[in-house]
Amino acid sequence: MERGEEMDDFERIYTEYYDQVYGYCLRLTHDPHLAEEVTQESFFKALKAIGSFHGECRLSVWLCQIAKNTTFSLLKKQKRSAPLEGDWPAPADLEQRLGDKEDALKIHRVLHRLAEPYREVFWLRTFGELNFAQIGGLFEKTESWARVTYHRARMKIKEELE
């Protein structure tokens, strides 16, 4: 399968299962922002591990298992470094890395080279703190388009940083 076909298949999976995985994460975290970030990270992990999925269970079950593990790993990490009870740092490592000046500069360099609309969608979501519906509206696209575009932007940035 070609890389482009894999991305199209993954976009279909992302669009089809996003709400289900997000709902599951929301039930685990009871925090919409955290659930959204965990969901994004879970899909990123799923994309990297899609070759290990052999159909032993439904795809939605596999995705939710990744989301559960991502959530619990994050909660465990936060518990070890818990600054204040109830204070939840951003779970996505890209956003966390923006707090470090050297890493932030690397990310901004990659972001500067990123093609549109990825650059603007990532910027609006991360720095503008707009939700996906608002971003989709700005581009006269759907909320799902904004989610997929943001996810692809994060993937492209992470690939450049590796």
Side-chain angles (χ1 to χ4, degrees):
M1 185 180 299
E2 301 274 329
R3 176 95 170 130
E5 290 174 2
E6 287 176 5
M7 291 305 292
D8 289 344
D9 287 344
F10 192 76
E11 181 177 346
R12 182 189 54 75
I13 290 168
Y14 183 86
T15 302
E16 187 173 332
Y17 292 100
Y18 181 88
D19 289 339
Q20 187 175 356
V21 174
Y22 170 78
Y24 180 71
C25 290
L26 185 59
R27 286 188 297 281
L28 290 174
T29 64
H30 305 286
D31 179 326
H33 179 71
L34 181 61
E36 192 171 289
E37 294 299 329
V38 169
T39 302
Q40 292 289 333
E41 189 64 25
S42 298
F43 274 101
F44 179 73
K45 288 179 179 180
L47 178 62
K48 287 172 56 174
I50 196 72
S52 69
F53 179 73
H54 300 295
E56 295 90 13
C57 63
R58 291 188 321 243
L59 185 57
S60 61
V61 171
W62 183 71
L63 292 169
C64 286
Q65 185 67 37
I66 292 171
K68 180 182 80 168
N69 292 339
T70 301
T71 301
F72 291 149
S73 293
L74 172 68
L75 294 175
K76 188 184 287 186
K77 183 193 293 185
Q78 287 178 348
K79 198 171 190 177
R80 282 194 304 259
S81 64
L84 296 172
E85 188 152 333
D87 188 13
W88 295 65
D93 44 314
L94 268 182
E95 287 79 358
Q96 287 175 339
R97 290 177 65 181
L98 283 167
D100 177 270
K101 285 184 181 185
E102 189 174 314
D103 280 346
L105 184 57
K106 290 176 188 174
I107 292 170
H108 282 290
R109 281 186 181 132
V110 171
L111 188 56
H112 181 71
R113 293 190 307 265
L114 200 60
E116 292 297 346
Y118 303 111
R119 175 184 19 213
E120 188 169 359
V121 169
F122 183 85
W123 195 93
L124 290 169
R125 179 72 187 137
T126 304
F127 305 111
E129 298 182 0
L130 297 181
N131 65 39
F132 292 116
Q134 292 168 321
I135 294 169
L138 285 173
F139 284 88
E140 297 179 349
K141 303 279 188 178
T142 64
E143 180 178 344
S144 180
W145 174 88
R147 288 180 192 282
V148 169
T149 304
Y150 174 76
H151 179 72
R152 285 181 174 172
R154 287 186 74 234
M155 288 176 14
K156 289 174 183 288
I157 292 168
K158 283 185 173 191
E159 286 173 3
E160 287 285 323
L161 292 173
E162 291 178 352

